[in-house]
Amino acid sequence: AFMIFLAELAFKSDRLLDIFGADQYPISRISEGYDHHMTSIDRLMGIAENTGVPTWNVPQAHNLNIYAPLKAAEDYRDPSGEEMLALALVQAIHGGKGFVFYSYFDFFRGPAGGDVSPELAEKRWAQACFAAGELKKLEPFLMADQDGPAVETLKSEGKLRVRCFADGKGNFRLLLAGVGPGRTSGTVRLKLPENLNFRSRFRRTTQIGPEEFQFTGNDISCDIVELNRK
């Protein structure tokens, strides 16, 4: 498989690709507001989706201050577990099928590549395990042969990305992601079977009608709506 990570080369090389690789790390310089949105991932995944080539993704799980000089270390921060998951979900919404969180060995590194305490490394590992665990639960839906029902966005504020997946057994997962920065809200509608149990994993989505759902988030945000047969 040949992987490419440069967006500007994607359309020139898509006929050569077996797999499109996407490794944008958006949680970056705090002073410039880069830690409040995932525009770079959303843009790159839009390009990848348009090529029609299967995509493997590398969601950010590390603090970019490992590459920064000591004097600039405070301008970076760790991604939270929910942010790691949001990065992966916006990739899945755009059609991503593979996910390689980057990276385990960086959990032990601090500013300019120095060491960090075992407690911080353990905290980072726990956050990554949370994100990967939630993503693993979605495997029967993301890898299913059949598509989920189409989703119509009725109204939105900010950049809302949404897609519904089905497992072929009568269960559905509605994935929603706010790209940021700032507030993201929206109302979506989709055709679903009757009598499904509703559960919003992160309580950012409410069911306002039999086929309508409303999401609200801030900055890099996400939700997983579980719709299961009774």
Side-chain angles (χ1 to χ4, degrees), residues 25-28 32-41 77 83 87 159 178-182 219-220:
Y25 306 135
I27 300 176
S28 183
E32 299 181 38
Y34 287 144
D35 67 320
H36 293 306
H37 64 90
M38 50 180 173
T39 303
S40 59
I41 282 183
R77 66 174 177 84
E83 286 174 328
L87 303 181
K159 295 180 181 178
V179 174
D219 292 338
I220 298 172

Side-chain angles (χ1 to χ4, degrees), residues 16-219:
L16 303 176
L17 297 179
D18 295 309
I19 296 172
F20 188 109
D23 70 337
Q24 295 291 309
Y25 306 135
I27 300 176
S28 183
R29 294 185 296 278
I30 297 171
S31 62
E32 299 181 38
Y34 287 144
D35 67 320
H36 293 306
H37 64 90
M38 50 180 173
T39 303
S40 59
I41 282 183
D42 185 54
R43 174 179 173 271
L44 180 58
M45 288 304 300
I47 293 172
E49 188 174 17
N50 286 334
T51 66
V53 177
T55 306
W56 289 359
N57 308 279
V58 189
Q60 180 180 355
H62 63 297
N63 188 325
L64 284 170
N65 71 11
I66 62 175
Y67 305 117
L70 288 173
K71 63 181 181 181
E74 296 301 317
D75 203 22
Y76 301 85
R77 66 174 177 84
D78 287 4
S80 69
E82 191 172 326
E83 286 174 328
M84 294 180 202
L85 178 61
L87 303 181
L89 292 187
V90 79
Q91 293 169 330
I93 289 168
H94 279 295
K97 296 297 184 183
F99 304 88
V100 183
F101 288 89
Y102 190 88
S103 67
Y104 175 76
F105 55 79
D106 284 334
F107 296 157
F108 304 91
R109 300 170 67 193
D115 295 333
V116 299
S117 68
E119 291 79 14
L120 179 55
E122 184 64 28
K123 178 182 177 181
R124 289 171 168 176
W125 171 243
Q127 294 289 321
C129 286
F130 163 79
E134 292 294 325
L135 195 60
K136 179 66 175 178
K137 295 174 188 176
L138 294 172
E139 185 176 322
F141 299 87
L142 301 182
M143 302 305 293
D145 292 331
Q146 72 176 78
D147 294 330
V151 181
E152 177 187 4
T153 300
L154 301 180
K155 59 181 179 179
S156 65
E157 173 188 351
K159 295 180 181 178
L160 174 64
R161 303 293 181 252
V162 57
R163 186 169 180 173
C164 189
F165 295 84
D167 66 355
K169 300 178 180 179
N171 305 304
F172 302 86
R173 293 295 180 270
L174 182 64
L175 307 187
L176 307 105
V179 174
R183 173 184 167 87
T184 299
S185 65
T187 302
V188 301
R189 179 169 60 199
L190 64 160
K191 185 68 175 178
L192 291 166
E194 296 181 354
N195 299 319
L196 294 175
N197 284 318
F198 166 87
R199 178 176 181 251
S200 170
R201 181 67 181 83
F202 301 111
R203 299 182 179 179
R204 291 201 175 89
T205 307
T206 56
Q207 187 168 10
I208 59 175
E211 299 177 348
E212 294 187 7
F213 303 86
Q214 188 172 58
F215 169 86
T216 303
N218 192 60
D219 292 338

